[in-house]
Amino acid sequence: MIDLQKEYNNCWNVFSVHFPHLTKPKLLIIKLKKTWGICGGIYISLNKKLENVKDADFVRHVIYHEMCHLIFHHHHKEFYDLLKQFDPLQLKENQKLTKRIEAFQAIAEQAKPVENGKRTEENR
């Protein structure tokens, strides 16, 4: 079971370094039917069901998503650009992408050039 208050506090400690002028919203843990979280400015509500989610990174994603609404009240590009800086799910995807690119580059470097559409004797 995930301790939502602890995760919220940890996320706030990271987020607030970048926005020291913000007041920490009160955390409400409530039953929500259609959403994982709500930012109300002076409070952030998290769905009680998040306590049972197995992926803590998803929980942190939801928390950071709601915290980013303290800066941007919409879901435009600026909002997602900000979220990318904190979102552990996005950071994981970036790491996977970097590994894929590095692997592709290693394969490309090992490939030898082909002349006139035919492999040279050296490349056989």
Side-chain angles (χ1 to χ4, degrees), residues 92-107:
K92 271 187 180 178
E93 284 305 310
N94 290 346
Q95 290 170 349
K96 287 179 190 175
L97 181 59
T98 300
K99 287 180 183 176
R100 286 187 207 123
I101 290 169
E102 289 170 353
F104 178 76
Q105 288 173 333
I107 291 168

PDB file of all heavy atoms in Angstrom, residues 92-107:
ATOM      1  N   LYS A  92      11.464   7.863 -17.415  1.00  0.00           N
ATOM      2  CA  LYS A  92      11.729   6.465 -17.775  1.00  0.00           C
ATOM      3  C   LYS A  92      11.694   6.285 -19.288  1.00  0.00           C
ATOM      4  O   LYS A  92      12.542   5.612 -19.867  1.00  0.00           O
ATOM      5  CB  LYS A  92      10.691   5.535 -17.141  1.00  0.00           C
ATOM      6  CG  LYS A  92      11.025   5.044 -15.779  1.00  0.00           C
ATOM      7  CD  LYS A  92       9.985   4.010 -15.364  1.00  0.00           C
ATOM      8  CE  LYS A  92      10.257   3.467 -13.999  1.00  0.00           C
ATOM      9  NZ  LYS A  92       9.242   2.509 -13.561  1.00  0.00           N
ATOM     10  N   GLU A  93      10.697   6.887 -19.939  1.00  0.00           N
ATOM     11  CA  GLU A  93      10.583   6.776 -21.394  1.00  0.00           C
ATOM     12  C   GLU A  93      11.789   7.424 -22.075  1.00  0.00           C
ATOM     13  O   GLU A  93      12.308   6.909 -23.047  1.00  0.00           O
ATOM     14  CB  GLU A  93       9.281   7.415 -21.899  1.00  0.00           C
ATOM     15  CG  GLU A  93       8.068   6.569 -21.629  1.00  0.00           C
ATOM     16  CD  GLU A  93       8.191   5.160 -22.197  1.00  0.00           C
ATOM     17  OE1 GLU A  93       8.524   4.990 -23.376  1.00  0.00           O
ATOM     18  OE2 GLU A  93       7.963   4.205 -21.429  1.00  0.00           O
ATOM     19  N   ASN A  94      12.235   8.562 -21.542  1.00  0.00           N
ATOM     20  CA  ASN A  94      13.414   9.222 -22.100  1.00  0.00           C
ATOM     21  C   ASN A  94      14.647   8.334 -21.982  1.00  0.00           C
ATOM     22  O   ASN A  94      15.469   8.272 -22.894  1.00  0.00           O
ATOM     23  CB  ASN A  94      13.674  10.559 -21.400  1.00  0.00           C
ATOM     24  CG  ASN A  94      12.633  11.594 -21.757  1.00  0.00           C
ATOM     25  OD1 ASN A  94      11.877  11.432 -22.704  1.00  0.00           O
ATOM     26  ND2 ASN A  94      12.576  12.659 -20.979  1.00  0.00           N
ATOM     27  N   GLN A  95      14.800   7.639 -20.844  1.00  0.00           N
ATOM     28  CA  GLN A  95      15.934   6.738 -20.657  1.00  0.00           C
ATOM     29  C   GLN A  95      15.863   5.573 -21.639  1.00  0.00           C
ATOM     30  O   GLN A  95      16.866   5.194 -22.231  1.00  0.00           O
ATOM     31  CB  GLN A  95      15.971   6.223 -19.217  1.00  0.00           C
ATOM     32  CG  GLN A  95      16.354   7.285 -18.217  1.00  0.00           C
ATOM     33  CD  GLN A  95      16.143   6.832 -16.772  1.00  0.00           C
ATOM     34  OE1 GLN A  95      15.528   5.818 -16.506  1.00  0.00           O
ATOM     35  NE2 GLN A  95      16.656   7.620 -15.845  1.00  0.00           N
ATOM     36  N   LYS A  96      14.669   5.013 -21.843  1.00  0.00           N
ATOM     37  CA  LYS A  96      14.500   3.923 -22.801  1.00  0.00           C
ATOM     38  C   LYS A  96      14.843   4.391 -24.210  1.00  0.00           C
ATOM     39  O   LYS A  96      15.513   3.689 -24.961  1.00  0.00           O
ATOM     40  CB  LYS A  96      13.063   3.396 -22.775  1.00  0.00           C
ATOM     41  CG  LYS A  96      12.705   2.591 -21.566  1.00  0.00           C
ATOM     42  CD  LYS A  96      11.244   2.147 -21.667  1.00  0.00           C
ATOM     43  CE  LYS A  96      10.743   1.545 -20.386  1.00  0.00           C
ATOM     44  NZ  LYS A  96       9.301   1.230 -20.463  1.00  0.00           N
ATOM     45  N   LEU A  97      14.367   5.583 -24.558  1.00  0.00           N
ATOM     46  CA  LEU A  97      14.637   6.123 -25.883  1.00  0.00           C
ATOM     47  C   LEU A  97      16.130   6.340 -26.077  1.00  0.00           C
ATOM     48  O   LEU A  97      16.687   6.004 -27.128  1.00  0.00           O
ATOM     49  CB  LEU A  97      13.868   7.432 -26.085  1.00  0.00           C
ATOM     50  CG  LEU A  97      14.025   8.111 -27.438  1.00  0.00           C
ATOM     51  CD1 LEU A  97      13.563   7.183 -28.550  1.00  0.00           C
ATOM     52  CD2 LEU A  97      13.257   9.412 -27.470  1.00  0.00           C
ATOM     53  N   THR A  98      16.798   6.877 -25.080  1.00  0.00           N
ATOM     54  CA  THR A  98      18.245   7.093 -25.161  1.00  0.00           C
ATOM     55  C   THR A  98      18.973   5.770 -25.383  1.00  0.00           C
ATOM     56  O   THR A  98      19.880   5.687 -26.220  1.00  0.00           O
ATOM     57  CB  THR A  98      18.764   7.780 -23.885  1.00  0.00           C
ATOM     58  OG1 THR A  98      18.103   9.045 -23.761  1.00  0.00           O
ATOM     59  CG2 THR A  98      20.264   8.000 -23.933  1.00  0.00           C
ATOM     60  N   LYS A  99      18.571   4.731 -24.660  1.00  0.00           N
ATOM     61  CA  LYS A  99      19.196   3.413 -24.831  1.00  0.00           C
ATOM     62  C   LYS A  99      18.961   2.866 -26.228  1.00  0.00           C
ATOM     63  O   LYS A  99      19.856   2.288 -26.839  1.00  0.00           O
ATOM     64  CB  LYS A  99      18.674   2.437 -23.772  1.00  0.00           C
ATOM     65  CG  LYS A  99      19.227   2.706 -22.394  1.00  0.00           C
ATOM     66  CD  LYS A  99      18.683   1.726 -21.372  1.00  0.00           C
ATOM     67  CE  LYS A  99      19.212   2.068 -19.991  1.00  0.00           C
ATOM     68  NZ  LYS A  99      18.645   1.225 -18.951  1.00  0.00           N
ATOM     69  N   ARG A 100      17.750   3.061 -26.766  1.00  0.00           N
ATOM     70  CA  ARG A 100      17.457   2.594 -28.123  1.00  0.00           C
ATOM     71  C   ARG A 100      18.306   3.327 -29.153  1.00  0.00           C
ATOM     72  O   ARG A 100      18.822   2.723 -30.089  1.00  0.00           O
ATOM     73  CB  ARG A 100      15.971   2.793 -28.439  1.00  0.00           C
ATOM     74  CG  ARG A 100      15.066   1.823 -27.746  1.00  0.00           C
ATOM     75  CD  ARG A 100      13.616   1.987 -28.246  1.00  0.00           C
ATOM     76  NE  ARG A 100      12.720   1.570 -27.190  1.00  0.00           N
ATOM     77  CZ  ARG A 100      11.774   2.311 -26.647  1.00  0.00           C
ATOM     78  NH1 ARG A 100      11.556   3.525 -27.069  1.00  0.00           N
ATOM     79  NH2 ARG A 100      11.013   1.837 -25.692  1.00  0.00           N
ATOM     80  N   ILE A 101      18.453   4.623 -28.975  1.00  0.00           N
ATOM     81  CA  ILE A 101      19.255   5.422 -29.902  1.00  0.00           C
ATOM     82  C   ILE A 101      20.719   4.984 -29.839  1.00  0.00           C
ATOM     83  O   ILE A 101      21.368   4.804 -30.875  1.00  0.00           O
ATOM     84  CB  ILE A 101      19.119   6.931 -29.605  1.00  0.00           C
ATOM     85  CG1 ILE A 101      17.708   7.395 -29.975  1.00  0.00           C
ATOM     86  CG2 ILE A 101      20.178   7.735 -30.341  1.00  0.00           C
ATOM     87  CD1 ILE A 101      17.372   8.794 -29.496  1.00  0.00           C
ATOM     88  N   GLU A 102      21.236   4.773 -28.638  1.00  0.00           N
ATOM     89  CA  GLU A 102      22.620   4.332 -28.491  1.00  0.00           C
ATOM     90  C   GLU A 102      22.833   2.968 -29.143  1.00  0.00           C
ATOM     91  O   GLU A 102      23.849   2.733 -29.803  1.00  0.00           O
ATOM     92  CB  GLU A 102      23.008   4.287 -27.013  1.00  0.00           C
ATOM     93  CG  GLU A 102      23.157   5.671 -26.401  1.00  0.00           C
ATOM     94  CD  GLU A 102      23.307   5.648 -24.878  1.00  0.00           C
ATOM     95  OE1 GLU A 102      23.163   4.561 -24.261  1.00  0.00           O
ATOM     96  OE2 GLU A 102      23.554   6.724 -24.313  1.00  0.00           O
ATOM     97  N   ALA A 103      21.878   2.072 -28.978  1.00  0.00           N
ATOM     98  CA  ALA A 103      21.983   0.741 -29.588  1.00  0.00           C
ATOM     99  C   ALA A 103      21.962   0.853 -31.107  1.00  0.00           C
ATOM    100  O   ALA A 103      22.745   0.198 -31.800  1.00  0.00           O
ATOM    101  CB  ALA A 103      20.851  -0.160 -29.100  1.00  0.00           C
ATOM    102  N   PHE A 104      21.080   1.691 -31.631  1.00  0.00           N
ATOM    103  CA  PHE A 104      21.004   1.887 -33.079  1.00  0.00           C
ATOM    104  C   PHE A 104      22.305   2.470 -33.616  1.00  0.00           C
ATOM    105  O   PHE A 104      22.804   2.041 -34.656  1.00  0.00           O
ATOM    106  CB  PHE A 104      19.819   2.801 -33.421  1.00  0.00           C
ATOM    107  CG  PHE A 104      19.704   3.075 -34.892  1.00  0.00           C
ATOM    108  CD1 PHE A 104      19.207   2.117 -35.753  1.00  0.00           C
ATOM    109  CD2 PHE A 104      20.109   4.297 -35.417  1.00  0.00           C
ATOM    110  CE1 PHE A 104      19.102   2.365 -37.110  1.00  0.00           C
ATOM    111  CE2 PHE A 104      20.008   4.550 -36.768  1.00  0.00           C
ATOM    112  CZ  PHE A 104      19.503   3.580 -37.630  1.00  0.00           C
ATOM    113  N   GLN A 105      22.865   3.442 -32.904  1.00  0.00           N
ATOM    114  CA  GLN A 105      24.124   4.050 -33.340  1.00  0.00           C
ATOM    115  C   GLN A 105      25.253   3.025 -33.347  1.00  0.00           C
ATOM    116  O   GLN A 105      26.089   3.021 -34.251  1.00  0.00           O
ATOM    117  CB  GLN A 105      24.480   5.238 -32.441  1.00  0.00           C
ATOM    118  CG  GLN A 105      23.585   6.430 -32.682  1.00  0.00           C
ATOM    119  CD  GLN A 105      23.812   7.547 -31.671  1.00  0.00           C
ATOM    120  OE1 GLN A 105      24.239   7.308 -30.558  1.00  0.00           O
ATOM    121  NE2 GLN A 105      23.485   8.772 -32.071  1.00  0.00           N
ATOM    122  N   ALA A 106      25.285   2.145 -32.351  1.00  0.00           N
ATOM    123  CA  ALA A 106      26.319   1.110 -32.291  1.00  0.00           C
ATOM    124  C   ALA A 106      26.195   0.164 -33.480  1.00  0.00           C
ATOM    125  O   ALA A 106      27.199  -0.214 -34.092  1.00  0.00           O
ATOM    126  CB  ALA A 106      26.215   0.338 -30.979  1.00  0.00           C
ATOM    127  N   ILE A 107      24.961  -0.195 -33.831  1.00  0.00           N
ATOM    128  CA  ILE A 107      24.740  -1.072 -34.991  1.00  0.00           C
ATOM    129  C   ILE A 107      25.166  -0.364 -36.270  1.00  0.00           C
ATOM    130  O   ILE A 107      25.819  -0.947 -37.133  1.00  0.00           O
ATOM    131  CB  ILE A 107      23.261  -1.504 -35.067  1.00  0.00           C
ATOM    132  CG1 ILE A 107      22.941  -2.447 -33.901  1.00  0.00           C
ATOM    133  CG2 ILE A 107      22.936  -2.152 -36.399  1.00  0.00           C
ATOM    134  CD1 ILE A 107      21.461  -2.710 -33.705  1.00  0.00           C
TER     135      ILE A 107
END
